Amino acid sequence: MEPTQGEGPGRLTLWRTLRAPTPGELEHFSRTMRAAEATGNAAFPPVKDVGYDPAREALWVVRPWWNGESLPSMLGGLHAVGLDIPYLQALAEQLAQALDTAHAAGLVHGRLRASRVLVASGEGGARACVLDLGWEQFRRAQGQDWLKPPQVGEEYLAPESGESGPVPATADLFAYGRIVRDMLATRKDGAWTGRWEAWVEKATASEPSRRFASATEAWSALKPILRTLPDPAPPRPENYEPEPPDPLTLPSRE
């Protein structure tokens, strides 16, 4: 969206409601959605403004524009050889650090899924941005009767999540395992098969006690696996024609 005044473009997110929030609920919503940026982690973008639109019957949040695309969009455009290993490493590490930073501050996403992760090029090959941290905590605490949970991303939702009560931090660890699985599964030629599946099985175990204790622990267990992943060159296309050698680079016959 482009503002009529003030700083540059922003990213608008809307959540449909069954009724208008009270002033107190709107204030609580604002505080909750701004809590993540106070952690100082670069993966959590600041909130420029929040509000309620009666015409659309929706709560809204505006963040500064972040020039990236959703993780599913990026992964969907890959060649069959999969995600570049340096990109995979950078995203998995940044996401782990962001989740543990949030958990240390008492914040839990609760509805983390691949579409809530934005990806862009940056230092280390890639940088990640996590959207909507705080929304699920607000919904359960203040909006249980007038905010519906999103009917998407069920495969990223841990079995213990439920629909009410405190949001368990273990749910984010389950989602982390599923998101990393999405990145690992992009290699369609079988070169990585048999190397990462056991890690995903542990990260996404149905019982929370069988998972990794933290995202950092999961990342530490993942690093040596990523170092073993082969990275063979992709096959040449059927219409490939090698370029003739440059005569200036040929060895002299003298």
Side-chain angles (χ1 to χ4, degrees):
M1 59 171 287
E2 291 284 349
T4 57
Q5 60 184 0
E7 300 177 0
R11 183 181 294 273
L12 175 67
T13 304
L14 298 168
W15 292 275
R16 294 295 300 272
T17 67
L18 299 179
R19 65 166 173 80
T22 66
E25 289 168 338
L26 189 57
E27 175 60 26
H28 188 189
F29 177 71
S30 177
R31 290 197 309 271
T32 304
M33 298 306 293
R34 296 177 190 273
E37 63 189 272
T39 67
N41 189 285
F44 302 128
V47 172
K48 296 175 68 173
D49 202 1
V50 304
Y52 178 74
D53 186 339
R56 292 185 173 89
E57 297 182 320
L59 285 167
W60 54 263
V61 167
V62 175
R63 304 177 185 87
W65 178 254
W66 203 83
N67 192 26
E69 61 179 324
S70 71
L71 182 61
S73 174
M74 189 267 283
L75 297 181
L78 293 175
H79 189 275
V81 296
L83 185 62
D84 288 343
I85 294 176
Y87 240 70
L88 200 163
Q89 290 174 324
L91 294 175
E93 181 176 18
Q94 290 172 40
L95 187 54
Q97 291 174 345
L99 290 177
D100 278 356
T101 298
H103 295 170
L107 303 172
V108 181
H109 195 293
R111 289 279 173 177
L112 183 63
R113 52 198 185 277
S115 64
R116 298 294 84 196
V117 179
L118 300 183
V119 180
S121 298
E123 295 183 8
R127 56 194 182 104
C129 171
V130 179
L131 301 180
D132 302 348
L133 178 62
W135 184 85
E136 179 66 7
Q137 285 183 291
F138 171 77
R139 186 188 75 82
R140 295 194 184 203
Q142 295 276 323
Q144 192 75 29
D145 62 338
W146 56 280
L147 281 173
K148 292 184 177 180
Q151 302 302 308
V152 294
E154 295 297 319
E155 63 181 299
Y156 301 91
L157 200 60
E160 71 274 14
S161 294
E163 292 298 334
S164 61
V167 185
T170 55
D172 288 350
L173 304 181
F174 180 94
Y176 177 73
R178 291 280 188 171
I179 291 170
V180 173
R181 175 213 58 182
D182 290 351
M183 294 189 282
L184 290 164
T186 57
R187 186 93 200 191
K188 298 295 194 297
D189 61 359
W192 296 350
T193 301
R195 297 173 184 266
W196 53 266
E197 290 83 354
W199 181 92
V200 172
E201 184 177 352
K202 179 175 176 60
T204 60
S206 58
E207 297 177 14
S209 61
R210 293 176 53 210
R211 295 177 209 146
F212 297 104
S214 67
T216 298
E217 181 181 305
W219 164 239
S220 296
L222 180 64
K223 280 191 289 186
I225 297 172
L226 297 184
R227 285 196 291 266
T228 70
L229 296 181
D231 196 17
R236 292 171 174 173
E238 295 180 359
N239 61 350
Y240 173 77
E241 294 183 6
E243 296 182 2
D246 186 343
L248 296 179
T249 63
L250 293 176
S252 173
R253 295 179 179 271
E254 296 180 2

